[in-house]
Amino acid sequence: MSVDPMSYEAQFFGFTPQTCMLRVYIAFQDYLFEVMQAVEQVILKKLADSPHCEISPVQIRTCTEKFLGFMKGRFDNLFGKMEQLFLQLILRIPPNILLPEDKPQETHPCTEEEFQLLQKEIEQLQEKYKTELCAKQALLAELEEQKTVQAKLKQALALFDELENTGRDHGTSDFRESLVFLVQNSRKLQTIRDTVEQEGKRMKIS
């Protein structure tokens, strides 16, 4: 089998020419084996109809295997020549032929240096795309976090509204003013507590 990858031909056919030839080779081998089995069965049947024949089934099998080996050797020799002809003349795309998807190369030829620059630009764009993708994921995560915070804020506002309605029901005109008054009183109580604790410590020391 040829070791030339023939990648351009594989692009056109959808398979490598070597794979095609290998399948033909295997198919012929299978067919040859099946034919020899059928011939052997016919000979054994004829042998069974001739009771005075001195040829045994073992001898027939030995002869069949020898003939099969002979045929396989001849086929391998012919197939090698056929493979060369197919790969060189039939399954090979001439060097002056371009596939339809490569036609722009005729009108827009590209040097090796230009190709390298294009490759570098593609790599840079790929890196930029990855960076943008990571940034997008971070923004989506932040958006989800903001949604969670917004939901909690709505719950807090709903609680304040509920407390304000409750205050109104019990004679408090403005819940926010009451809340401010409560905070101020709480701070005054905290100051008194701190003063009492300091006096207590001072008295224990004295």
Side-chain angles (χ1 to χ4, degrees):
M1 285 290 178
S2 172
V3 295
D4 183 4
M6 301 181 71
S7 55
Y8 204 55
E9 286 75 9
Q11 180 182 341
F12 175 73
F13 292 113
F15 56 85
T16 62
Q18 291 90 339
T19 301
C20 175
M21 298 306 299
L22 179 61
R23 289 179 178 176
V24 171
Y25 179 80
I26 293 174
F28 183 85
Q29 275 195 326
D30 292 342
Y31 181 73
L32 181 62
F33 183 74
E34 291 175 2
V35 168
M36 292 308 301
Q37 277 188 321
V39 171
E40 184 181 68
Q41 292 298 322
V42 171
I43 294 175
L44 289 174
K45 186 176 180 181
K46 293 290 184 181
L47 182 64
D49 295 337
S50 303
H52 301 293
C53 184
E54 298 180 356
I55 303 175
S56 65
V58 176
Q59 291 175 316
I60 293 177
R61 170 55 62 89
T62 302
C63 293
T64 302
E65 290 177 351
K66 287 182 179 181
F67 186 68
L68 180 63
F70 170 77
M71 291 294 293
K72 186 178 180 304
R74 295 286 293 176
F75 174 72
D76 287 345
N77 185 28
L78 293 174
F79 185 84
K81 298 177 181 178
M82 182 178 71
E83 181 191 21
Q84 286 185 341
L85 291 175
F86 268 75
L87 295 181
Q88 291 176 2
L89 303 177
I90 298 176
L91 297 177
R92 180 175 295 278
I93 297 177
N96 61 326
I97 300 297
L98 286 176
L99 297 180
E101 57 267 30
D102 296 329
K103 284 292 184 180
Q105 293 183 15
E106 289 183 333
T107 55
H108 301 87
C110 182
T111 64
E112 183 66 24
E113 183 179 354
E114 291 173 339
F115 179 75
Q116 294 297 331
L117 290 175
L118 287 174
Q119 287 288 101
K120 187 176 181 179
E121 185 178 354
I122 290 173
E123 292 175 359
Q124 292 175 349
L125 289 174
Q126 288 176 340
E127 289 298 324
K128 186 177 179 181
Y129 172 75
K130 291 179 181 178
T131 304
E132 294 290 339
L133 189 61
C134 291
K136 179 181 177 182
Q137 295 297 329
L139 289 174
L140 289 175
E142 184 178 352
L143 181 61
E144 289 297 324
E145 185 177 353
Q146 289 180 357
K147 288 180 179 179
T148 303
V149 173
Q150 187 178 13
K152 291 182 178 180
L153 181 59
K154 286 182 179 180
Q155 291 179 355
L157 291 174
L159 177 61
F160 281 124
D161 290 339
E162 185 178 352
L163 290 174
E164 186 174 3
N165 293 331
T166 303
R168 286 175 182 173
D169 293 340
H170 291 79
T172 304
S173 59
D174 191 347
F175 172 73
R176 289 179 175 81
E177 292 179 0
S178 300
L179 185 60
V180 171
F181 178 74
L182 181 62
V183 171
Q184 291 175 350
N185 288 337
S186 175
R187 289 175 179 171
K188 290 179 181 179
L189 289 173
Q190 186 176 2
T191 302
I192 294 172
R193 187 197 67 179
D194 294 340
T195 303
V196 171
E197 287 180 352
Q198 290 176 0
E199 287 294 329
K201 291 178 180 178
R202 187 177 62 81
M203 292 176 65
K204 285 181 181 180
I205 294 173
S206 61

